Amino acid sequence: MEGFIKEQQKIIVEALEKVDGGKFRVDEWSRKDGGGGISCVLQDGNVFEKAGVNISVVYGTLPRVAIQKMRADHKALDLDVDSLGFFAAGLSLVLHPKNPMAPTVHLNYRYFETMNPDDTPQTWWFGGGTDLTPSYLFDEDAIHFHRTIKNACDKHSPSYYPRFKKWCDTYFDVKHRGEARGIGGIFFDDLDDGESDQENLFSFIQDCLNAFLPSYLPIIERRKDMPFTAKEKDWQQIRRGRYVEFNLVHDRGTSFGLNTPGARVESILMSLPLTASWKYMHEPENGSREERMINVLKSPRDWV
């Protein structure tokens, strides 16, 4: 997994630099409690206002507060211990384009393992997913994105896409707003030996990550140079505000990261946009494209 995500980070960064014309800043960092990572961030580029492609490979000891954060989805974790040895490797990606016609996209695929006191493996699982967050909805973009992901899932099980698509719609729910963060994709967690063996699940993760560029590049190429108005840019800023609300209020990954000793806060908060806004009691006009976007977010659709 470590070798795979390092390879994919280079491939994705290279492809995104071709789209943007700018260069990512590459920061290699180490964690004093064990491990480290590579953060690649492009800020105020030609196409992307902010783009991050980060990998982390960390290990060490989880304190009780972090174990409790994970316990909701990982029932095998022992809450009777004060600490737990762990190893984690993952790639996280968030792209916030400048053009409001181009959608934000998020991706994360990770492997996690906990250890017994004698350093033998205790539990392991894979998790992750990818989802699309447009400010303005183009149905053909949504269909292409979901179809590409579905094709990757179908290689492994016909049940994966509908199951993980529903999980995504449920997870990326801005509950206090009564709307989804975006138009979804797939999301899963805790895929362990109750699902399949490690090699088959790793193969599934590889196919999902390999599907990212084919799922997103055609969309960004179509939308990055479209004309837009100041009003449409303003709407994008409001939608980004909702994105921030989800990440800081509801996202378990953000909460877990901030509760892990020695965590790199800059990498954890990389997902936040460079700019966003919150307007008091903002309502879209009746019959507008903005209202259509809200209506879709309030009732997730089946795109394929």
Side-chain angles (χ1 to χ4, degrees):
M1 184 66 172
E2 179 178 353
F4 175 63
I5 60 176
K6 285 181 176 178
E7 173 192 59
Q8 285 296 304
Q9 183 185 43
K10 291 178 181 177
I11 292 170
I12 292 170
V13 164
E14 184 178 317
L16 295 177
E17 286 181 340
K18 287 181 181 177
V19 171
D20 188 272
K23 288 288 184 182
F24 278 75
R25 170 178 171 171
V26 180
D27 290 326
E28 292 194 42
W29 53 274
S30 58
R31 178 176 173 270
K32 65 181 179 64
D33 299 291
I38 305 170
S39 295
C40 298
V41 178
L42 175 65
Q43 204 159 263
D44 201 20
N46 299 306
V47 172
F48 299 107
E49 187 172 293
K50 189 177 179 189
V53 186
N54 293 356
I55 61 168
S56 63
V57 180
V58 297
Y59 48 86
T61 305
L62 286 178
R64 180 182 283 268
V65 65
I67 297 170
Q68 289 171 336
K69 291 286 183 185
M70 298 178 70
R71 184 62 167 76
D73 292 289
H74 308 290
K75 307 301 183 188
L77 290 177
D78 186 357
L79 280 179
D80 295 328
V81 297
D82 290 324
S83 63
L84 197 63
F86 80 99
F87 169 88
L91 183 150
S92 296
L93 170 157
V94 181
L95 310 178
H96 293 290
K98 286 187 169 182
N99 194 314
M101 300 301 154
T104 284
V105 68
H106 160 256
L107 172 149
N108 174 276
Y109 291 108
R110 59 194 175 274
Y111 172 74
F112 205 95
E113 189 173 282
T114 61
M115 286 76 158
N116 294 309
D118 63 357
D119 281 340
T120 56
Q122 183 195 62
T123 60
W124 60 267
W125 64 86
F126 289 92
T130 182
D131 63 288
L132 199 67
T133 306
S135 297
Y136 287 93
L137 182 61
F138 294 89
D139 287 18
E140 62 267 34
D141 294 353
I143 292 166
H144 171 79
F145 185 78
H146 278 265
R147 183 174 287 149
T148 307
I149 299 166
K150 182 180 184 296
N151 289 342
C153 290
D154 286 351
K155 291 181 184 179
H156 298 269
S157 170
S159 71
Y160 276 4
Y161 173 76
R163 183 173 144 207
F164 299 152
K165 193 265 185 192
K166 183 178 180 181
W167 198 339
C168 184
D169 290 338
T170 301
Y171 180 76
F172 291 104
D173 178 29
V174 189
K175 296 176 180 61
H176 57 276
R177 296 286 188 181
E179 62 187 44
R181 188 177 77 173
I183 59 167
I186 57 169
F187 178 84
F188 52 86
D189 205 359
D190 206 14
L191 296 191
D192 56 17
D193 52 7
E195 183 76 38
S196 186
D197 60 74
Q198 279 179 312
E199 288 303 319
N200 277 318
L201 289 175
F202 181 42
S203 176
F204 171 56
I205 292 290
Q206 288 174 299
D207 283 338
C208 286
L209 190 43
N210 282 323
F212 169 69
L213 290 175
S215 75
Y216 187 70
L217 287 186
I219 296 173
I220 191 67
E221 291 288 0
R222 278 199 296 264
R223 308 301 169 201
K224 65 184 178 68
D225 298 318
M226 288 184 69
F228 61 88
T229 65
K231 182 180 177 182
E232 289 165 340
K233 184 68 179 177
D234 193 45
W235 172 249
Q236 181 194 45
Q237 297 295 94
I238 293 168
R239 294 313 311 164
R240 283 182 177 171
R242 302 290 171 90
Y243 197 92
V244 171
E245 288 176 29
F246 176 85
N247 284 28
L248 295 184
V249 176
H250 298 301
D251 187 63
R252 290 196 304 267
T254 302
S255 180
F256 170 76
L258 295 176
N259 282 285
T260 301
R264 190 170 192 265
V265 175
E266 288 296 324
S267 294
I268 296 166
L269 299 182
M270 172 273 294
S271 64
L272 302 183
L274 191 62
T275 60
S277 69
W278 287 263
K279 292 202 170 184
Y280 184 70
M281 298 292 285
H282 183 273
E283 292 288 340
E285 295 176 12
N286 288 337
S288 65
R289 293 183 68 196
E290 292 84 1
E291 184 186 54
R292 179 173 184 253
M293 185 76 256
I294 290 290
N295 290 339
V296 169
L297 296 176
K298 288 183 180 296
S299 183
R301 289 187 183 179
D302 289 324
W303 293 102
V304 294

